[in-house]
Amino acid sequence: MDSGTRWSPFTKQLVLIALLIGTVYLLFRAAVIIPPLIIALVLAYMISVPIPWVQRNTGWSRTAAVGLTELIIVLLVLTVPAAAAPWFMNALNAFANTLTRVITELVRATPEPIEITPNLVINLGPFYQPINQWLRSVVGEDINAISNLPNLLTPFASGLTTVLRGAVSGIIWFFFILVVAFYAVRDGPRAARFVATRVPEMWRPELGRLWRELTQIWDAFVRGQLMLGLIVGLVVWILMAILGVRNATILGLISALFEFVPSIGPVLAAIPGVAIALVLGSSWLPLPNLWFALLVALVYITVQQVENLYLLPRVVGSRIRLHPAIVIVGALAGSALGGILGILLAAPTIAGARTLGGYALRKIFDLDPFAEPETPDRRQLWGELVQKRSIAAILFDIDGTLVETDDALARSISNRLSLSPALMSAERGIALARRGVMTLEGPVNLAITLLDRVKLDNAAYRLRRWAQRATGQKEAPCAEPVEGTVEALRVLRSRGYLLGVVTSRDRDEALMILQCSDLQPFIGAVVTREDTVRMKPHPMPIRLAAQQLGVAPEQCIMVGDTGVDIRSGKAAGALAVGVRSGFGEDRDFAEADLVLDTSAQLVTWL
């Protein structure tokens, strides 16, 4: 190209500034299109999730798969709310009546001092006075009518009205949403490839990673918050119904919706439930209202703590974890800019802006834009861990770790639950069966432990054996050892390691499997479900096996094919090795000290 036709740096900067100003201007001028456009993109996301599965199992074109999926989702969106509308309106009307009673009582209330001891009296009157004045300013002086009660919901209703008006203002907007969602899903990959090819090659790696991080933030938010909302909503509904809190269904729905406002949402969702408990008490528990309200508040706090400590890291991850103060400011700003939609999308927007800002700041200072602390390789640390612990014993799970029982079980479950081959392949059915067994292992072990506590475990075992005999199943079918396992155990014993087995099977089954697979001569200790009060993932079975072998748990290695085995070993203080020969996948071995394909490979690491 002739150098005279090239733009100067000043011209390029001027053009970029002009494009930026034009884009901002168009966004402000076309603000009416933003709510339905966002709804269309949300619908596109819902459609895109099952598309790979539909194409893989039907062989249809992407256009046909997208069209059918969109039709099914739209029909569900239209018919399910319509079918549930009468029930929902009755529940909402009951909740409104309850809320009216609660506010009426709160306006009339005059808290009396609470006497804990003669010298310790708590007077909440001065703290309650500002709340009472605010309620009176909202509902007016005529507290019997409470004609201004809807004003309480005005900040939220106004935003919701704006979104709904933009989404259902007419048939044109409806078709706009459908068409945009359809083309966004159908042509999304093609458009992404087109943009990628237009980016200068030297920028593609960085911008590609930046785009992946941004999409992961939004994907984690949408998937995670939907899952959290469903789980927390159901839990709150069930617990409130058990405690006898009125309008438990609506309280569960409120908790589910407020999950989309991280950090502060669960706190706000707890306020109606605690207020109803304080004013109206329980429908059956013989507790004073104040103590019942404290109980309900404790339940909400417990649910939030379980969510923060267990559910949130596993379901959402750390990509959109933000400080509560930032979330509050972002929610207020989002409310001012986009009503309720702005509140819901504040957290992922801030998290995305944080990623973009961090990238730009590091580029300005000529730093690696994606610098991350290096995590040491588990394989590099393994030798140091083994030497430091003075490892003397190795404990194994049986199924999937020493013998090939997991594959047979997965195939059996897949065959029993098999659907049309056009909808689910045999490989997919086996994969789902393996994941289902993995998910149920912990709860099943807990159920067995509970049965043991109430002395019903023997009756449950007898019932299981009777069912096996009635269906012609073998109680403890022989299985082939995992390839190389017999030789590996022989080598480990020759090197002086003590070997043991920790299993959730009963003793007769475990010994029969070990004997018919030629593994029993190498095993010095066998811990089964009859031997301990608690089962894996509790550390008690590992500690008992270590005691039987005469070593400390810290001198043991627990080898298993599931996350339950890994957590049990780590909880006992032992090293943990995950093997891929059974039900477990790499994501189940996040806490493991080493991950191998089979137990036989352990001989190369000891």
Side-chain angles (χ1 to χ4, degrees):
M1 180 184 291
D2 186 2
S3 61
T5 63
R6 294 181 178 177
W7 286 356
S8 66
F10 174 76
T11 303
K12 295 176 182 179
Q13 295 170 7
L14 189 63
V15 170
L16 286 176
I17 293 174
L19 289 175
L20 181 61
I21 294 175
T23 302
V24 174
Y25 174 77
L26 288 176
L27 286 176
F28 276 104
R29 295 293 295 177
V32 68
I33 204 175
I34 293 178
L37 182 61
I38 292 177
I39 294 175
L41 293 177
V42 171
L43 178 61
Y45 175 83
M46 296 170 61
I47 297 171
S48 66
V49 172
I51 292 301
W53 182 87
V54 174
Q55 285 189 279
R56 184 172 57 252
N57 290 278
T58 62
W60 293 350
S61 66
R62 188 172 181 85
T63 300
V66 173
L68 179 63
T69 306
E70 181 174 17
L71 178 62
I72 293 174
I73 291 178
V74 169
L75 289 177
L76 289 175
V77 170
L78 292 178
T79 57
V80 173
W87 169 85
F88 178 73
M89 291 306 297
N90 290 334
L92 195 61
N93 185 58
F95 178 71
N97 293 333
T98 300
L99 193 61
T100 301
R101 291 176 58 190
V102 169
I103 294 178
T104 302
E105 294 297 328
L106 289 177
V107 170
R108 291 172 172 169
T110 303
E112 297 292 334
I114 302 174
E115 183 176 338
I116 306 298
T117 65
N119 297 325
L120 179 60
V121 178
I122 301 176
N123 184 11
L124 299 178
F127 300 98
Y128 180 73
Q129 191 62 31
I131 299 176
N132 185 274
Q133 292 177 355
W134 175 75
L135 288 172
R136 287 184 178 275
S137 67
V138 172
V139 304
E141 294 300 325
D142 186 4
I143 60 176
N144 292 317
I146 314 188
S147 58
N148 294 326
L149 177 59
N151 292 339
L152 287 171
L153 305 178
T154 297
F156 304 100
S158 61
L160 180 61
T161 303
T162 302
V163 175
L164 294 178
R165 187 183 299 117
V168 297
S169 59
I171 195 67
I172 295 177
W173 285 124
F174 180 74
F175 278 106
F176 169 82
I177 292 171
L178 295 183
V179 170
V180 169
F182 175 81
Y183 283 109
V185 179
R186 195 194 72 169
D187 299 329
R190 187 186 310 168
R193 289 192 298 269
F194 174 82
V195 173
T197 57
R198 297 305 186 271
V199 173
E201 189 171 354
M202 60 181 299
W203 293 357
R204 289 179 190 176
E206 283 189 7
L207 295 182
R209 178 169 175 180
L210 182 63
W211 174 254
R212 288 192 298 272
E213 291 203 0
L214 292 174
T215 54
Q216 287 170 359
I217 288 174
W218 284 89
D219 184 72
F221 175 77
V222 175
R223 291 175 184 264
Q225 297 305 137
L226 283 174
M227 183 65 68
L228 282 179
L230 178 62
I231 295 174
V232 173
L234 286 174
V235 169
V236 170
W237 172 32
I238 294 172
L239 293 178
M240 294 300 107
I242 292 175
L243 292 176
V245 181
R246 292 161 176 80
N247 309 109
T249 304
I250 297 299
L251 293 177
L253 180 61
I254 291 174
S255 294
L257 294 177
F258 273 76
E259 281 299 314
F260 281 87
V261 186
S263 300
I264 61 173
V267 177
L268 297 176
I271 295 176
V274 175
I276 292 174
L278 178 63
V279 174
L280 303 180
S282 172
S283 60
W284 69 275
L285 279 177
L287 286 176
N289 288 8
L290 177 60
W291 291 109
F292 181 63
L294 292 176
L295 175 61
V296 171
L298 180 62
V299 169
Y300 271 108
I301 292 173
T302 303
V303 171
Q304 292 172 22
Q305 292 303 311
V306 171
E307 175 192 355
N308 291 332
L309 297 177
Y310 181 79
L311 293 177
L312 197 61
R314 290 165 173 78
V315 176
V316 178
S318 60
R319 293 188 178 275
I320 58 172
R321 300 289 298 270
L322 300 170
H323 193 278
I326 297 177
V327 174
I328 293 173
V329 174
L332 293 175
S335 175
L337 294 174
I340 191 171
L341 195 61
I343 296 175
L344 298 180
L345 300 181
T349 302
I350 295 173
R354 177 182 59 186
T355 299
L356 287 173
Y359 170 81
L361 189 63
R362 288 190 291 268
K363 292 294 288 185
I364 289 173
F365 287 98
D366 296 325
L367 301 174
D368 184 353
F370 301 106
E372 297 175 352
E374 295 185 1
T375 56
D377 188 353
R378 286 184 292 194
R379 292 173 177 256
Q380 296 177 358
L381 296 177
W382 175 253
E384 181 181 344
L385 288 173
V386 171
Q387 185 175 5
K388 183 178 179 180
R389 297 287 192 93
S390 300
I391 296 299
I394 307 172
L395 309 176
F396 297 91
D397 179 48
I398 291 182
D399 300 288
T401 304
L402 294 178
V403 298
E404 298 277 11
T405 53
D406 285 356
D407 287 337
L409 178 60
R411 284 193 296 270
S412 174
I413 296 175
S414 176
N415 292 334
R416 293 174 184 272
L417 302 178
S418 61
L419 300 175
S420 171
L423 297 178
M424 182 179 297
S425 63
E427 293 78 8
R428 181 63 176 168
I430 292 175
L432 290 176
R434 294 170 72 92
R435 177 50 48 187
V437 174
M438 272 286 300
T439 304
L440 291 175
E441 183 178 9
V444 168
N445 287 353
L446 176 61
I448 295 174
T449 299
L450 293 176
L451 289 173
D452 178 67
R453 289 296 183 89
V454 296
K455 306 302 181 183
L456 292 177
D457 53 325
N458 290 330
Y461 296 151
R462 287 195 296 269
L463 180 62
R464 173 174 171 267
R465 293 192 180 98
W466 175 85
Q468 287 178 330
R469 289 193 296 268
T471 56
Q473 300 180 38
K474 297 180 180 180
E475 293 186 7
C478 284
E480 291 294 325
V482 176
E483 184 178 357
T485 299
V486 175
E487 182 60 28
L489 295 188
R490 181 179 292 110
V491 172
L492 292 172
R493 278 290 300 270
S494 67
R495 294 177 182 176
Y497 291 104
L498 302 173
L499 306 181
V501 162
V502 178
T503 178
S504 297
R505 286 183 177 270
D506 62 39
R507 178 164 292 275
D508 292 339
E509 289 179 348
L511 293 178
M512 185 180 299
I513 291 175
L514 292 174
Q515 182 177 4
C516 67
S517 58
D518 298 325
L519 298 175
Q520 190 172 15
F522 307 107
I523 304 301
V526 177
V527 174
T528 64
R529 63 189 176 198
E530 295 104 331
D531 299 320
T532 60
V533 177
R534 302 289 299 275
M535 299 172 62
K536 295 181 294 186
H538 196 273
M540 186 179 293
I542 310 298
R543 293 170 180 166
L544 178 58
Q547 180 181 351
Q548 291 181 1
L549 293 174
V551 298
E554 293 77 12
Q555 295 178 282
C556 297
I557 299 174
M558 177 63 206
V559 184
D561 68 307
T562 68
V564 169
D565 299 315
I566 302 303
R567 293 196 298 274
S568 180
K570 300 295 285 186
L575 296 182
V577 175
V579 291
R580 304 185 184 95
S581 55
F583 282 126
E585 302 172 2
D586 284 347
R587 59 180 174 177
D588 302 308
F589 304 137
E591 302 178 32
D593 298 296
L594 185 66
V595 180
L596 304 173
D597 290 329
T598 66
S599 300
Q601 295 178 348
L602 197 60
V603 296
T604 63
W605 294 91
L606 290 174

